[in-house]
Amino acid sequence: MIFSRFFAPSHTSQNPEKRLEAIQNLSPEKPTDKTILHELAFNDANADVSLAALNKLNTFVLWLKMSQSAHHAKVKKVAERTVEAALMGQGDVTINANEKASFLRESANGELIQTVLVNDPSLLADNNLVMTLLHKVDKPAFTQTIFLHHADNALQQAILATIEDSSVLQKLEKKCRDNAIHAAIATKLQVLKAQAEKPIELMRRVTLCLSKYQALVDKSDVEDIDKRQAELLSEYNDLMTDSSILSSDDKTAVDAKFARISEKVSRHLSRIRPEWESQKAAEEKAEIEALCKQHLSHATTQVNWLYGERLCEATLADVAVVNESVRALEVSADHMASLGGSTKLLDEVRTGIASLNNSLEAFSMQQQYGQKLLICLSQVESLAEESLAEEAKQQQATSTPSEPATNGQEDKENGLTEQTAEAAKAVNTDATESVSVEGDAVQNGTDQNDDVSHKAPESIEAEFKALSEKYHDLRNELISVPSALNKRWHAASRVFSQKKQAKKAEVDQALRQCRKQISVIDNLIAQGKYRGAITKFEKLSASFESMPESVKKQLAKRFEKTAEDIAHLEGWQDYIAAPRKPALVEEAQTLASTPVEDIKQRGEAIRYLRQQWLSLGAGSDDDALQNAFDAALELAFQPCREHYAALDAEREKALKARQSLIEQVAAIDLSQDEAVLAKLFDRTVKQWHECGQVEKREYESLKQRWNKTISPLQTKVNQWHAMNKKAKQQLVAQASALLAEEDIASATETAQQLQHSWKAIGHAGKRDESRLWREFRLANDALFGRLKEQRKAQSSAFDETFNTLFTQLNAIDSESDESTIATSIQDIESRAKELPSAMRAKLDKKITGIQKQQQTRAQQRQVRKVQQRAQSAISVLSESLRAGDFTNISDDDADMLKKRWKSALSKPTPVQQSRHWLTVALEAATDLPSPESDRSMRTNVQLAMMTAKLEKGESLSPAQLLEDWIAHGKVDDQETHLLERVVNVLDNNPEVVA
């Protein structure tokens, strides 16, 4: 104890080395030593001592605490490295999973967390821990790394639930390979997109709603404004229930806009409401006036209906319904009066009401009259039916009198022409009808005597007259007669009026026919056709006797006169016929001796002579004349008989031809191609029609055989025609549909294909082929017409473009620089690509001409430039080189000469050959003659130049020779003639200095 006061422990020594040694002797297992180690670790000023104490203790908690609170950088750095190694499972410091999780969750920084999570897969099993650490790190890039490379599906789903950034999700979607996670990311993107668009959509709908609200200030219908305002306010309030998703600025702006628009709408309503209310009152007044008119019309219609359709059978219910319509009219009138309606209309309505009420009050009495009228009408209808029945019985009981015989042969014997015979037949028919009418009257009397229940026509007429008077008296008592009763009355009375008219018509017809027949007889007498006149008068006399007395009285005078004429004629007939018959025999003999030119005319002539002969009647001494007349006519008719025999032969030939044609058709093989069968069918039908005529009775049987034989072939051909017709109808429809196409060129190509298809299809039948072809051609013509118009319009456009481009080519200034001209030509060529080849060829020719002109001018400019350069060179050679002073060369000459010649003039250099030799060489190189004195030198020069070219492959150009000539420097007086020779070379060959 005492020694402890004098000897301090080594761990408290001032020397760090001793403290380090002391740490080696301390044990963390002993509480005292452990306390000392703690003290040294956290409070020692020396970093090595603190680290030694920590290493001795070697617990994660102490290392962690030191990494957080150490004052020495070295200690802090080592502590941090040790903690990180422990977390990574490295080193000798151990830490359990709970401690590691707790540390990462509470104390670890972001970088350490990133390192540990990436390198310790066991931590990834705890999704909650990982999510906490990711949230703590809060780095999207690190989160993406964990998501893509280290997390399982469950962790990926958890991470995905926390990501709200669309850009991050899009990156993950591109890199993710798992289908389920990829689908989840896509779904999350859609949700985020919808959430992002929701405020925009809400603002759009709110803006639209407010725009509609704002539009109310432009309306003038207050009722509509109130209705729409209520709807829009409801819509706005519904939309603003989701206003929480809007930003504060947007919400403030929307509220302000709503308040502003609401105030505008309120002011607008207060301004227009008074005028609208007055207008509404006027409209209400107009409506009630229109309603009054409608009710008046309806009530009037109802009362008219009651009188017109229900007069006789109306019930109390019907009257009540009509009365109700009148009461409704009264209510409308009162309402109109309360609103101050039109006084004129009100008076009109009240007058109408009074009239309608009077009609309703009188209806009971009117109905009684109507019922009486109906009874009377029924009696008239019964009487009319009875009259019709009596008439039918009379027609059935009365037998038709036989018509007088009108034998044609008898007419011939009496000498009548065909026209006269027809007139006689008409008179006989009319007479027969007159007899029939009289017979009806007799029969009626007979029937009346036979059956006492049948009424005589006179009795029926009298009864109808009495009922008619009664009907008219009752009708006069009615305010209006129903149209149905009027129709029934007219129908019933029409029976009697028609019967009366028919009877009068029969009498008039008989009178006209009798007068006509008398006129016919008078005409026959005037024409000398006495026999016919006598025959017709006999028939007329029989008819005249059966006519009514009234008709006889009207015709008595004319009939008696005609009877006297006929009596006078009967005595003269034989006298007239005696000289006429020999003349007819002579005419018949003349006709027989005349050659036949027209068979028809010969037959008509024979018929006429026979009629004339018969018209003269038969005499006592006519046998010889009759035989001579018959022999002459027989001889005249012989050519006709031969002609008719030839016709019979032709008919026989036609019969055999038709029979043969039927056999040919029966032998046709129906399995052949339809086109072949169609041609056979057309040909055989044509042959059938071209065959001659045959007897009618034989033609009917042949026609039946022909139809039966040709029917199978015709059916097959018709089926083929129908199929072709359908195909061609489709082509017509397709061609017509092409007219609606916008691409005319493509449509015309299709039309051409359709035309080829048309040619490949067979005939559609005579009835349809021409029509279908006409429709198909019209459709194609219309389509190609459009193409022609389009091409015409396109051609006009091409012409316009061509003219414009050609004008531009003509406007090109040939003196312009090459780039300007090239640019213009290039622009024209690009615009000319769409033109037809012919137009492009013209433009190309023009462009080629311009380019040739341009090249020619360029060559001319180059030649001029070379000439100018040569003149400048001559000038310099003549002046400066001769003087030996190159400082006074003019600026123009200096600019004209190339750099090569400037250099040659300004820097003379020694040259191997003499100036004289070079002069001769220049003349030889440019094919100019040299003086006679230099002939040998020229030969040597040419030989030297050829040798150099052959041995060394070198060839001295005139420019090189001139350059060497100039390199000799100043021209002496003895060399003046050489200068003149060089100038001559340059004059003749300016390209030497090009």
Side-chain angles (χ1 to χ4, degrees), residues 10 13-23 44 46 48-49:
S10 59
S13 173
Q14 296 295 323
N15 188 353
E17 295 296 333
K18 290 185 178 182
R19 292 198 298 273
L20 290 172
E21 293 177 357
I23 291 173
D44 195 280
N46 189 278
D48 294 334
V49 173

Side-chain angles (χ1 to χ4, degrees), residues 414-487:
N414 292 331
L416 297 178
T417 62
E418 293 179 359
Q419 294 80 4
T420 308
E422 290 178 359
K425 185 176 179 180
V427 173
N428 293 335
T429 302
D430 295 332
T432 302
E433 292 177 355
S434 299
V435 173
S436 178
V437 171
E438 295 298 329
D440 288 343
V442 175
Q443 184 65 35
N444 286 336
T446 305
D447 292 342
Q448 186 174 8
N449 294 330
D450 294 341
D451 189 357
V452 295
S453 62
H454 294 171
K455 296 181 180 179
E458 295 79 5
S459 175
I460 293 176
E461 291 179 2
E463 188 174 349
F464 169 73
K465 184 176 180 181
L467 290 173
S468 176
E469 292 176 355
K470 180 180 180 182
Y471 179 86
H472 285 88
D473 292 340
L474 291 171
R475 189 176 64 178
N476 293 333
E477 296 293 335
L478 292 176
I479 296 175
S480 64
V481 180
S483 59
L485 296 182
N486 277 330
K487 290 180 181 178

Side-chain angles (χ1 to χ4, degrees), residues 17-54:
E17 295 296 333
K18 290 185 178 182
R19 292 198 298 273
L20 290 172
E21 293 177 357
I23 291 173
Q24 297 297 326
N25 297 323
L26 295 176
S27 173
E29 303 298 331
K30 297 178 181 180
T32 304
D33 291 351
K34 188 176 182 180
T35 301
I36 293 170
L37 289 172
H38 272 279
E39 182 67 22
L40 291 173
F42 289 98
N43 296 322
D44 195 280
N46 189 278
D48 294 334
V49 173
S50 296
L51 291 174
L54 288 171

